[in-house]
Amino acid sequence: MAAPWLRLGAERLFEMPAVLELLSRSNSTSQAFAEVLRLPKQQLRKLLYPLQEVERFLAPDRRQDLHLRIFDPSPEDIARADKVFTVTEGNRIDYVSSAVRIDHAPDLPRPEVCFIGRSNVGKSSLIKALFSLAPEVEVRVSKKPGHTKKMNFFKVGKHFTVVDMPGYGYRAPEDFVDMVETYLKERRNLKRTFLLVDSVVGIQKTDTIAIEMCEEFALPYVIVLTKIDKSSKGHLLKQVLQIQKFVNTKTQGCFPQLFPVSAVTFSGIHLLRCFIASVTGNLD
């Protein structure tokens, strides 16, 4: 883990420019992340901690409604996670294979995370953004809903595997329920399920079915709000508060902190990479 004097969360990040300068010169920080750290304060907060950017528009008595800092990594932790997602000679990031049945899935002993969500919620676009430090990895993205028909497996070095699941709802594969339900029940190395919800429309009926599935199987899962670049600040704030209330009152296994992201502006991508690295044991 990071040295105690470097374990600074978002609060102190914006108060200590000397620490930012130190991190930008650190050998553990990539050149790309060093450039991120040089952004103006407001841009930096919006890019790294979009949920805290939303908080600025809340009345003080409503801020307690959001779980903002349950996962509050230091800039150094975020930089280390970025390196996990960076291709080097000793850290290859590759597409492995696809499967329509769990018994056809690759036998990968490393920890695994999967991404599920409605068709056209932006799963493949998000995974492509997570892999932006490995541009040679091909993640197929389509404007047509229901493009992903199989479970697609990607290995991130020797660290973990990322699984892009077919979308549910419109144009979902006929055997979607059997495919996904069996995977979620039987995949022993699955460490976290990331449930993507479109921030423009909020939680839909089909999303509640996926949530009920995660709850029934007692799976630890996370809600990721996609496409935040398409929502006004007011609309996004409304959706965040509604979804947070849903998580607080209707779920047991859901991580209490939401993760808003944009695959277009990359807002929230660094933080999500860091959370993935953490739950797969790569920030220990």
Side-chain angles (χ1 to χ4, degrees):
M1 295 296 289
W5 60 278
L6 276 179
R7 287 200 54 76
L8 306 169
E11 287 298 304
R12 295 185 65 194
L13 167 63
F14 304 109
E15 299 171 5
M16 301 186 67
V19 173
L20 294 183
E21 183 61 27
L22 174 65
L23 285 171
S24 69
R25 295 199 305 265
S26 169
N27 289 334
S28 66
T29 304
S30 68
Q31 184 59 40
F33 193 68
E35 292 300 319
V36 167
L37 293 174
R38 296 189 180 98
L39 291 172
K41 175 180 174 180
Q42 185 171 344
Q43 286 182 257
L44 186 62
R45 178 188 287 112
K46 188 174 182 179
L47 182 67
L48 296 186
Y49 305 101
L51 196 58
Q52 294 184 29
E53 175 69 11
V54 170
E55 179 195 26
R56 297 193 307 123
F57 300 93
L58 271 178
D61 62 337
R62 294 298 306 275
R63 293 181 182 180
Q64 62 185 5
D65 295 340
L66 293 181
H67 298 291
L68 290 164
R69 296 176 180 85
I70 296 173
F71 182 69
D72 189 24
S74 70
E76 191 197 39
D77 285 336
I78 295 176
R80 290 170 61 223
D82 267 17
K83 296 201 78 172
V84 171
F85 281 87
T86 300
V87 168
T88 64
E89 186 174 341
N91 188 56
R92 304 303 302 170
I93 299 177
D94 299 298
Y95 162 78
V96 179
S97 65
S98 299
V100 294
R101 291 169 47 185
I102 188 65
D103 54 351
H104 292 166
D107 184 14
L108 302 170
R110 58 181 64 89
E112 198 158 277
V113 297
C114 75
F115 290 78
I116 64 175
R118 289 190 309 112
S119 298
N120 207 32
V121 75
K123 280 188 296 80
S124 299
S125 296
L126 174 57
I127 292 173
K128 189 176 181 67
L130 289 171
F131 288 162
S132 63
L133 300 174
E136 69 276 14
V137 178
E138 183 179 0
V139 181
R140 294 185 178 182
V141 177
S142 174
K143 293 183 179 179
K144 295 181 179 180
H147 175 75
T148 304
K149 298 294 186 182
K150 302 177 181 180
M151 300 179 286
N152 297 316
F153 294 78
F154 301 85
K155 66 176 181 178
V156 180
K158 297 179 180 179
H159 303 294
F160 53 86
T161 304
V162 171
V163 186
D164 183 8
M165 305 293 285
Y168 49 77
Y170 178 67
R171 294 188 65 189
E174 291 182 6
D175 54 353
F176 172 85
V177 172
D178 290 340
M179 183 194 311
V180 175
E181 183 173 304
T182 305
Y183 170 86
L184 294 177
K185 286 173 64 175
E186 299 184 7
R187 197 67 168 176
R188 299 305 177 198
N189 53 339
L190 178 63
K191 297 300 181 183
R192 197 69 53 127
T193 297
F194 292 84
L195 175 60
L196 276 54
V197 173
D198 189 326
S199 68
V200 178
V201 299
I203 294 177
Q204 302 292 294
K205 184 177 181 180
T206 47
D207 294 318
T208 63
I209 294 172
I211 289 169
E212 288 168 2
M213 192 181 297
C214 290
E215 293 283 338
E216 179 184 350
F217 302 151
L219 296 174
Y221 64 104
V222 182
I223 290 184
V224 179
L225 305 181
T226 63
K227 305 180 182 181
I228 62 173
D229 54 288
K230 294 187 177 182
S231 291
S232 66
K233 289 184 175 66
H235 182 75
L236 179 60
L237 182 57
K238 179 181 177 181
Q239 291 289 3
V240 165
L241 289 172
Q242 288 179 346
I243 295 169
Q244 183 74 72
K245 182 178 180 180
F246 179 93
V247 170
N248 293 348
T249 60
K250 304 291 186 181
T251 71
Q252 296 290 327
C254 187
F255 191 73
Q257 181 174 321
L258 305 177
F259 284 82
V261 297
S262 168
V264 175
T265 67
F266 280 74
S267 182
I269 296 297
H270 294 278
L271 189 66
L272 189 58
R273 283 183 188 140
C274 193
F275 187 75
I276 293 170
S278 177
V279 299
T280 55
N282 289 286
L283 287 185
D284 296 337

